[in-house]
């Protein structure tokens, strides 16, 4: 299959676009090389999901958007996604292919924190970006990572210097409402030694986008002793196919905390991975998914232990209704030499209708003896006895079902450390379940 058969863009167009944006020569060459790779690499092979049957042709082309100067210029449906007014001091907004708003508080600038569009960082900090860009997710892993490397646009670069503690969350908003515009943001976060930061982003769409493919990559690099809290909520409608790779490289005594809400209405491929390279490194991942109509979700959470005394915990809850299908994979891999490692995982799927389908696949791959590893998984319908018990106390059937669903999700939602994210996920769950 040729590159031209996949994308409405060729190599020369990629090169010309990169040069017109005055990107460094190494980035122009990288885009060109990746596009060539995309013509020969295969799509990723997913557990029980034929992604090759999805309509993955609509990647769009780069279209510049006009910048905005005020939140009032945002589409109405997006305003509720902003956490609150105080966080607007450190906020980046991407609409379709380009960044339309960015602002950083003076305090962060004084601390040496870089929070900007990735495109701006390419100009202002080219060597820093070159060192880390596509270093955790490789361009030659599969066709999707190659296409992302060639076509990425907009995106965020966050750099936190050594010993800097960022108190307020930094926020990004990624919006798409143009079916012809490329939408493949790249988020790159580097936390130096003993630094800490919380980053929150929202992905949303509006209108019929004709199977537009969101092909995004997140890379997080945590140096020794760093702490990164990463929260991301995806809320695309059914006309967007969401493909997301999120990956963190965690060095000695560093801690990576993921909170992911897959609230989309279209098909989803999501892969969230922590590479625990350093001794004493830790990872915690909390994932919530809700599937409706004929939606297909393939959600993988993974922790790979290399360091001694490293630990990981993964909790995933999925609620399926109508004829939705979910494949929920939890993978704990403990490499030889990772003595004292501890990997725990739990995956649970709740099905609300006879046509809904869900698989929970816990996978332990252990190459070392002196370790701890455990898993729990369950798939099932709503327990009718619980519904009848609640109804016997004067509660309506609809309210009883709602209480059972929230009881099922509570082990994840209630321990999310960011209250705003808790409330946002609850709103999206209620909306998706028609409550």
């Amino acid at each position: 299959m040729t590159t031209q058969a996949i994308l409405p863009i060729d190599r020369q167009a990629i090169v010309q676009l990169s040069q017109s944006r005055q990107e460094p020569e190494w980035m122009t060459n990288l885009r060109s090389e990746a596009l060539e790779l995309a013509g020969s690499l295969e799509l990723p092979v997913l557990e029980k999901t034929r992604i090759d049957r999805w309509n993955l042709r609509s990647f769009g082309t780069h279209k510049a958007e006009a910048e905005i100067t005020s939140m009032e210029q945002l589409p109405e449906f997006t305003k509720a996604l902003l956490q609150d007014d105080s966080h607007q001091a450190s906020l980046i907004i991407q609409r379709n292919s380009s960044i339309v708003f960015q602002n950083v508080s003076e305090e962060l600038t004084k601390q040496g924190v870089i929070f900007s569009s990735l495109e701006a960082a390419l100009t202002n900090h080219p060597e820093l970006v070159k060192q880390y860009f596509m270093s955790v997710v490789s361009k030659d892993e599969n066709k999707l990572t190659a296409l992302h490397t060639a076509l990425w646009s907009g995106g965020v670069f966050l750099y936190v210097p050594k010993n800097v503690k960022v108190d307020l969350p930094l926020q990004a908003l990624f919006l798409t409402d143009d079916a012809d515009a490329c939408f493949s943001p790249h988020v790159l976060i580097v936390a130096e030694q003993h630094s800490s930061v919380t980053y929150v982003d929202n992905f949303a769409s509006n209108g019929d986008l004709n199977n537009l493919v969101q092909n995004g990559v997140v890379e997080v690099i945590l140096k020794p002793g760093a702490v990164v809290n990463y929260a991301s909520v995806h809320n695309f409608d059914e006309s967007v196919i969401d493909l997301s790779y999120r990956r963190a490289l965690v060095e000695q005594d560093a801690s990576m905390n993921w909170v992911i809400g897959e609230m989309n209405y279209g098909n989803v491929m999501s892969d969230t991975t922590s590479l625990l390279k350093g001794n004493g490194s830790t990872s915690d991942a909390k994932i919530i998914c809700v599937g409706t109509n004929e939606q297909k979700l393939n959600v993988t959470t993974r922790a790979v232990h290399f360091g001694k005394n490293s630990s990981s915990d993964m909790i995933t809850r999925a609620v399926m209704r109508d004829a939705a299908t979910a494949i929920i994979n939890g993978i704990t891999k403990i490499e030889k030499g990772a003595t004292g490692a501890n990997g725990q995982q739990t995956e649970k799927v709740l099905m609300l209708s006879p046509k809904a389908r869900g698989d929970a696949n816990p996978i332990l791959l252990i190459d070392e003896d002196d370790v701890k590893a455990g898993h729990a998984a369950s798939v099932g319908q709503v327990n009718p006895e619980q519904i009848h018990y609640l109804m016997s106390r004067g509660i309506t059937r609809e309210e009883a079902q709602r209480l059972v669903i929230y009881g099922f999700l509570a082990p994840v939602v209630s321990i999310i450390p960011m209250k705003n994210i808790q409330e946002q996920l609850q709103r999206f769950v209620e909306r998706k379940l028609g409550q």
Side-chain angles (χ1 to χ4, degrees), residues 36-205:
E36 292 298 324
L37 278 172
S40 59
L41 293 173
E42 299 294 329
L43 289 168
V45 178
L46 305 181
E47 183 75 20
K48 299 180 182 179
T49 301
R50 290 293 303 272
I51 193 175
D52 58 312
R53 294 179 178 175
W54 295 5
N55 185 4
L56 302 180
R57 295 183 179 87
S58 181
F59 287 86
T61 56
H62 186 276
K63 297 172 69 175
E65 294 282 341
E67 294 185 0
I68 64 173
T69 57
S70 158
M71 298 304 101
E72 296 304 315
Q73 296 172 265
L74 285 174
E76 194 63 35
F77 80 100
T78 65
K79 294 177 182 177
L81 300 177
L82 299 173
Q83 299 300 316
D84 57 52
D85 291 341
S86 66
H87 294 166
Q88 292 181 15
S90 300
L91 170 66
I92 292 175
I93 300 174
Q94 176 171 338
R95 187 171 186 179
N96 300 314
S97 303
S98 56
I99 301 298
V100 297
F101 181 89
Q102 53 185 326
N103 192 37
V104 183
S105 69
E106 291 185 8
E107 181 182 354
L108 285 180
T109 303
K110 290 177 181 178
Q111 290 177 302
V113 175
I114 302 170
F115 184 51
S116 74
S117 70
L118 185 54
E119 293 166 344
L122 261 181
T123 300
N124 300 323
H125 310 280
E127 293 306 314
L128 201 54
V129 175
K130 183 179 181 180
Q131 181 178 353
Y132 296 109
F133 182 79
M134 298 305 291
S135 65
V136 189
V137 177
S138 175
K139 68 178 185 296
D140 57 5
E141 291 186 23
N142 56 55
K143 187 183 294 291
L144 296 180
T145 60
L147 289 175
H148 173 86
T149 307
L151 295 176
W152 74 268
S153 59
V156 167
F157 180 68
L158 171 57
Y159 176 85
V160 186
K162 182 178 179 180
N163 296 326
V164 171
K165 312 292 184 183
V166 180
D167 296 325
L168 288 177
L170 309 184
Q171 189 177 359
L173 191 56
F174 298 98
L175 316 172
T176 177
D177 57 5
D178 186 339
D180 298 322
C182 178
F183 188 67
S184 297
H186 187 103
V187 177
L188 179 58
I189 298 175
V190 180
E192 293 285 4
Q193 285 185 317
H194 303 293
S195 65
S196 66
V197 68
T198 296
Y199 167 87
V200 179
D201 64 30
N202 276 271
F203 286 69
S205 66

